[in-house]
Amino acid sequence: MGARARQQGGSAIQATSTGGHPSLHTVKPLGRTLFNRVFAAIYALSILALLFYHAKTLFYSPALVSFSVTLALLISDLVLAFFWIMYESMKVKVERVLERGEVDDENITSGQEREAFNKWADSFTRQDHPAVIQLRVSGCMTNAPIILTLDCDSCSNDPETPLRAMCYLSDPETRPQLAYVQFPQIFRGINKSDIYNAEFKRLYQINVMGFDGLSGPNYLGTGCFFQRRAFYGSPSSLVSPEIPELAPGYIVDKPIQSQPVLALAHQVASCNYENRSYWGSKIGFRYGSLSEDYHTGFRMQCEGWRSIFCDPERPAFLGDVPITLNDALNQQKRWSIGLLEVGLSKYSPATFGVKEIGLLMGLAYAQSAFWAIWSIPITTYAFLPQLALLSKVYIFPKVSEPWFFLYAFIFLGAYGQDFVDFILAGGSIQRWWSDQRFWIIRGISSYVFGSVEFFLKFLGISSFGFNVTSKVVDNEQSKRYGQGIFEFGVHSPMFVTLTMAAIINLISFSQGLVEVFRGNNWEGLFVQMFISGFAVVNSWPIYEAIAWRKDRGKMPIKTSIIATLLAGTLYTASCFVFL
């Protein structure tokens, strides 16, 4: 479903040559485009039918309990439908594939060009506000027109990468509106099953190609070559900084170690320098979010800049991944908070973005901005059907009823399409299973706590700062990670919600089996049993960590006790609700 898959560099014009130089690449429809369109139409009708079913049930629910349960399911399915409509809006214009031609890089790879590139390319480590400070300091010292941003744990994996980027950045056809060339995030040291979904294939490879088919990929925070000019207003309107030395066109004519250059660098490195200035709002990286990479790339595209996704066969850069569940979930929580800060600001992609960059691109950005609300449907389906089953309340259609087949089609269709997209993007079955499992894990842990922290901060009740994800390697942890064993080890509130869900689903599934063996109405409880059983299979690493693991990565006893008590409390409360 991508537009510029495996790009090698060169002109970014997606058209055949009209004469002169041969075309570097052309686009054609993907072979599965027709199937995707037909399936999308059928699936959309199925979603509408499901929402109609909920609305009809809601209307004919005189009891408060049945009304509340149906309303919760309706809200959850509306959220799921919202995200599905957005993951599909990107496909409308991006179901294309490239046929690459040869890149004529004779000029760009000449010794003279290589030497010039080495002189005027900058690189700095991306952090939070320090990134803007480094942007100003580098402006004083070299003011190089091209800037490479890398995470502190990233390293170069291909010496030809700058040349690939320069094929685009030096192209007179693309340069005037090209803000950056984004390479995918590729990681080293991921275990075979990728138990924490560190590869994040959709975010770093699939979705980003979808963006590329529209106005260009979102900024991923690392592995990105920027034009310095893109940090100073729109392509047609330069926002001038306070001093001429920081303007993107200024030529530094003094040695880096000279006293005037060092004095100016010290001056602009001050945190107070940007007070009452455009830095962080109209110049440089954009403040106001823990996900400043997402915010910066989004705002650039809203100003009229475009970007390009370059995905060579040999990874351009390699990074490290968190090897403990706590670090992985805290990273996801921080991202969800930062994305909400943009999504619920005056620059929301759903409003400001749709207006500035169009419906499709705005929805594509909104899909990421509102990640955290995945917690609504995932948490609902992780607890509500199971608690109802424990109280012998059946909330889904019987197997013999026509509406049951609608539920079956929607579930199998969603997972089937997800599976096909993942495998066709080069993923494995093992990693797809880990991907969908970690999506559920995030939904009832990091997304829930990220949403809570965001709204607490919004109300002024709490505050938080930027914490870099720990990548420190412990030998025992590294060994367990390599073996595909989940690392708990420390107490975390996010582990409590995971354990609660695992306990309630196990008890619910067991209760369902008892009812079946007793000869009770299995048709009525089938869907709830299926959901519980699916959750039990996904929760297997949690049961291992609670029950029989002896290593230091097992679930802390404190976490297990708290989760058990809370699960018991939740079950008791539900018994009164479902009376």
Side-chain angles (χ1 to χ4, degrees):
M1 70 181 249
R4 295 190 185 97
R6 301 290 179 196
Q7 296 186 43
Q8 301 301 311
S11 175
I13 303 175
Q14 295 186 353
T16 56
S17 178
T18 57
H21 297 292
S23 174
L24 293 175
H25 54 255
T26 57
V27 293
K28 66 175 184 178
L30 273 175
R32 62 183 185 274
T33 296
L34 179 61
F35 171 80
N36 284 343
R37 299 289 174 83
V38 173
F39 176 80
I42 296 173
Y43 201 81
L45 292 175
S46 301
I47 291 175
L48 290 175
L50 178 63
L51 297 178
F52 169 78
Y53 173 77
H54 283 320
K56 181 173 71 75
T57 306
L58 195 68
F59 184 78
Y60 290 106
S61 298
L64 179 61
V65 172
S66 60
F67 180 88
S68 301
V69 169
T70 304
L71 181 61
L73 294 176
L74 174 60
I75 292 173
S76 298
D77 289 341
L78 281 171
V79 173
L80 292 172
F82 169 72
F83 278 106
W84 181 82
I85 290 170
M86 287 193 293
Y87 245 154
E88 292 303 317
S89 69
M90 283 194 291
K91 289 186 178 181
V92 171
K93 290 189 177 180
V94 300
E95 289 170 328
R96 303 175 292 178
V97 66
L98 276 181
E99 288 185 325
R100 297 187 306 273
E102 295 297 323
V103 176
D104 181 10
D105 59 359
E106 179 180 354
N107 292 329
I108 193 66
T109 58
S110 68
Q112 183 179 1
E113 293 281 351
R114 287 176 186 269
E115 182 179 0
F117 177 85
N118 290 333
K119 286 183 177 179
W120 54 269
D122 261 349
S123 174
F124 62 79
T125 301
R126 180 188 65 88
Q127 298 176 25
D128 194 20
H129 291 186
V132 177
I133 297 174
Q134 291 167 332
L135 181 66
R136 295 197 296 262
V137 171
S138 69
C140 296
M141 293 185 166
T142 67
N143 213 31
I146 306 300
I147 297 171
L148 167 63
T149 63
L150 288 176
D151 274 340
C152 57
D153 60 353
S154 295
C155 67
S156 174
N157 187 58
D158 184 359
E160 297 295 311
T161 297
L163 301 179
R164 297 186 192 280
M166 289 304 299
C167 285
Y168 296 104
L169 293 167
S170 298
D171 190 332
E173 296 288 344
T174 61
R175 183 177 176 84
Q177 288 188 307
L178 181 59
Y180 56 87
V181 177
Q182 176 68 65
F183 289 82
Q185 284 209 46
I186 306 294
F187 301 97
R188 56 193 171 189
I190 298 178
N191 61 22
K192 184 177 180 181
S193 299
D194 190 15
I195 55 176
Y196 303 141
N197 189 29
E199 183 182 39
F200 232 129
K201 186 173 287 292
R202 283 179 192 79
L203 177 64
Y204 296 138
Q205 297 176 47
I206 298 177
N207 286 358
V208 78
M209 286 194 291
F211 277 97
D212 196 47
L214 298 171
S215 299
N218 53 315
Y219 172 39
L220 299 178
T222 186
C224 189
F225 288 83
F226 280 90
Q227 283 202 61
R228 184 180 292 271
R229 168 66 180 83
F231 289 105
Y232 295 83
S234 70
S236 60
S237 179
L238 173 70
V239 178
S240 299
E242 300 78 14
I243 57 176
E245 289 86 349
L246 293 181
Y250 181 78
I251 298 176
V252 178
D253 55 1
K254 299 180 179 65
I256 291 179
Q257 296 294 332
S258 66
Q259 197 280 329
V261 168
L262 293 177
L264 182 59
H266 180 76
Q267 175 189 345
V268 301
S270 170
C271 293
N272 295 325
Y273 176 82
E274 61 201 34
N275 289 346
R276 296 182 297 279
S277 74
Y278 286 136
W279 289 96
S281 60
K282 294 184 178 181
I283 300 179
F285 288 84
R286 307 306 163 84
Y287 294 170
S289 170
L290 291 178
S291 297
E292 86 292 340
D293 48 359
Y294 170 90
H295 190 197
T296 298
F298 168 64
R299 292 280 298 280
M300 283 182 172
Q301 293 195 338
C302 287
E303 292 171 352
W305 292 101
R306 296 180 67 88
S307 56
I308 284 176
F309 184 55
C310 189
D311 187 12
E313 293 185 8
R314 178 175 177 176
F317 303 98
L318 294 176
D320 293 328
V321 297
I323 63 171
T324 72
L325 183 59
N326 188 51
D327 287 338
L329 292 181
N330 274 309
Q331 181 185 63
Q332 295 288 320
K333 183 182 73 172
R334 186 178 71 246
W335 288 355
S336 66
I337 294 170
L339 291 169
L340 275 179
E341 288 173 330
V342 180
L344 296 178
S345 71
K346 66 179 181 180
Y347 296 111
S348 174
T351 53
F352 180 84
V354 168
K355 177 183 175 183
E356 296 295 325
I357 54 179
L359 178 63
L360 293 178
M361 200 65 176
L363 289 179
Y365 267 104
Q367 195 271 345
S368 300
F370 297 106
W371 262 1
I373 66 173
W374 278 119
S375 59
I376 296 174
I378 295 175
T379 303
T380 298
Y381 278 99
F383 289 98
L384 183 58
Q386 296 79 352
L387 293 170
L389 178 58
L390 289 173
S391 298
K392 300 182 182 179
V393 174
Y394 307 140
I395 60 178
F396 294 106
K398 296 180 180 179
V399 174
S400 58
E401 295 177 355
W403 289 108
F404 166 80
F405 295 99
L406 178 64
Y407 273 94
F409 174 75
I410 287 178
F411 174 82
L412 294 176
Y415 266 80
Q417 184 187 41
D418 185 77
F419 175 79
V420 170
D421 284 344
F422 193 90
I423 296 300
L424 291 179
S428 66
I429 296 176
Q430 268 185 317
R431 289 195 172 187
W432 172 80
W433 179 261
S434 296
D435 178 272
Q436 67 83 30
R437 175 174 60 193
F438 208 73
W439 172 68
I440 297 172
I441 288 174
R442 292 196 304 265
I444 54 179
S445 58
S446 52
Y447 290 169
V448 171
F449 285 90
S451 300
V452 171
E453 285 197 25
F454 169 79
F455 285 108
L456 287 177
K457 180 189 177 185
F458 178 79
L459 296 172
I461 297 175
S462 67
S463 61
F464 43 81
F466 180 90
N467 295 313
V468 177
T469 304
S470 173
K471 305 288 178 63
V472 178
V473 178
D474 174 274
N475 288 335
E476 290 188 16
Q477 290 177 344
S478 182
K479 181 180 179 181
R480 288 191 289 270
Y481 177 75
Q483 295 171 341
I485 300 174
F486 271 66
E487 186 74 26
F488 296 91
V490 297
H491 173 71
S492 168
M494 289 189 284
F495 294 168
V496 173
T497 55
L498 289 176
T499 307
M500 284 177 62
I503 291 171
I504 288 176
N505 276 275
L506 180 60
I507 296 174
S508 173
F509 183 71
S510 302
Q511 174 69 27
L513 289 177
V514 170
E515 294 297 318
V516 170
F517 291 143
R518 287 178 177 175
N520 290 337
N521 182 14
W522 69 271
E523 285 192 344
L525 55 83
F526 177 81
V527 176
Q528 284 157 272
M529 274 196 67
F530 177 83
I531 295 173
S532 296
F534 189 73
V536 166
V537 174
N538 275 293
S539 299
W540 192 253
I542 299 175
Y543 302 133
E544 284 184 321
I546 293 173
W548 55 82
R549 279 177 55 182
K550 303 299 182 183
D551 55 76
R552 291 194 297 174
K554 67 180 181 180
M555 187 73 74
I557 296 177
K558 176 183 177 181
T559 306
S560 300
I561 293 174
I562 294 175
T564 302
L565 292 175
L566 290 176
T569 302
L570 185 60
Y571 167 67
T572 302
S574 71
C575 290
F576 289 103
V577 172
F578 288 111
L579 280 178

